[in-house]
Amino acid sequence: MSLTRRAALAALAALPLAAAPALAQTTITIQHPLPSASHYGAGAAALKESFERATGGRYRVNIQRNDNEREIIESVQIGTVECYIGSTGPVGNFVPAVRVVDVPFLFRDYPHARGVLDSEIGQQLLAQFQPRGLVGVIWMENGFRHLTNSRREVNGPADVRGLKVRTMENQVHMRAFTTLGALPTPMAFSELVPALQQGTVDGQENPIPVIVSNNLNQVQRYLTLTGHVYSPGLLICNPAMMQRLSAADRAAFLEAARAAQQANRDKVTADENSGVEELRRRGMQVVTQVDTAAFQTALAAAFAQYERDLDGALLRRIRDWR
Ligand code: PAF
C-alpha cells in the first residue's frame, strides 16, 4: 500500500464516526398476568417476534408480567401501558356487553368457542370496546375452567356447597357459585396463592394451563374437571397507540395479533393434552368423570337470571352456533 494511501486510511480512521441518523424506536408495552412459559407468554412472544420483524426495528415490544388483570386494563385505558393480554375476567366491568361470553356451559368445546369468537359474533363484541376507551384487537384464549380445592373431592354440585371459592372479579361467575351454594370471593389473581395458603379461601377455578404454569398443585389437593365455563382471552390495546400506527404498521400489528392468537391457542391445546397427567404426577387427586347435567340443573336459577340481565337473543345465537 502506498504511503499516501496508508496516510489517507489512517486519517479516515481517526475521524469521529459520522453520526448515523438515529433510528427512532417506539416501545409498545404488553402486560399479561402469567409466566412467560404460559399460553399468554406464547402469544405475547409471537406478537413481539412478528411485529418487530415486520417493522424492521422501528418498534420494540416490551413484555411484562402483572398478575392483576383489572389493573392492566385500567393502565391500557389511560395509556400508561399499551396492550393487555388476559382473560375476560374483569373485562365486563369495563365493557358490559362482553359478560355474555362468561356464562357457564355456554360453549360446548374448543372448536365451538373458537368458531364463535372468530365469527361476526366475536367481531361485533370487539366493536363494543371503542366507546369504552379501549380497542378489542383479537380474541385470545385462557381455556375451560375447572375447580380445585383443599378440602374434599368434588363429585357433584352438592360437594361445592359451603366451599369458599376464589373467583375472578366477574359478576357472571360469582352468580353461578352463589347459586351452587358456594361462597364466592372475588379477588385479583395476584392475591390467590396467599389466600389459599392462609385459608381465606378453600378453592379456586382456572383452566389446566393456568393450574400447571402456576404450580397451583402446591396449594391445592383436589381437582375436578368441571369445565364449568370457557374463559376467553383478549388482546386489548390503547386507542391512541393504535391511532398513531401508520396504515402499513397497523396492518403489520394485526398480522402479529393473528400470530399471537395462533401461538396462544396452540399452547392451550398442548397444555390440555399433557396437563392433567402432569398434575396427577405432581400429586393432585383428579376427578375426571363429572355429571355436567347435574351442574347445569343446579344452575337453573342462574341461567334464568342471565337471560334477564344479559342479551338473551345473543346467548341463544351462541348456543345454537354450528
Ligand atoms: O383466574 C384468573 O384471574 C385468570 O384466569 C388468570 C389466571 C389471571 C388468567 O387470565
Side-chain angles (χ1 to χ4, degrees), residues 33-34 40 69 86-87 142 145 166 168 189 205-207 210 231:
L34 295 175
Y40 292 158
E69 293 188 323
S87 75
N142 194 21
R145 301 180 81 88
R166 176 268 174 179
M168 297 193 288
F189 190 61
E205 40 85 60
N206 250 305
V210 173
S231 182

Side-chain angles (χ1 to χ4, degrees), residues 72-83 94-96 126-136 236-243:
I72 309 177
I73 300 169
E74 282 164 359
S75 304
V76 171
Q77 216 168 29
I78 59 175
T80 49
V81 168
E82 280 74 28
C83 297
F94 297 82
V95 186
L126 291 180
Q128 307 287 327
F129 284 69
Q130 198 84 43
R132 304 283 168 163
L134 294 164
V135 177
I236 303 174
C237 294
N238 173 267
M241 170 245 140
M242 292 296 285
Q243 204 90 55

Side-chain angles (χ1 to χ4, degrees), residues 165-188:
V165 180
R166 176 268 174 179
T167 66
M168 297 193 288
E169 296 167 286
N170 182 301
Q171 297 179 7
V172 177
H173 291 186
M174 286 168 66
R175 168 156 304 280
F177 280 95
T178 305
T179 306
L180 290 175
L183 305 164
T185 310
M187 63 179 77

Side-chain angles (χ1 to χ4, degrees), residues 104-125:
F105 298 111
L106 178 63
F107 294 104
R108 296 180 292 277
D109 49 25
Y110 280 104
H112 181 205
R114 292 173 185 178
V116 167
L117 296 175
D118 291 346
S119 76
E120 64 166 15
I121 298 177
Q123 287 305 313
Q124 282 161 5
L125 287 170

Side-chain angles (χ1 to χ4, degrees), residues 45-55 252-253 255-257 259-260:
L47 188 149
K48 175 181 169 69
E49 199 279 318
S50 169
F51 190 56
E52 287 182 353
R53 185 170 28 78
T55 54
F253 191 78
E255 190 53 40

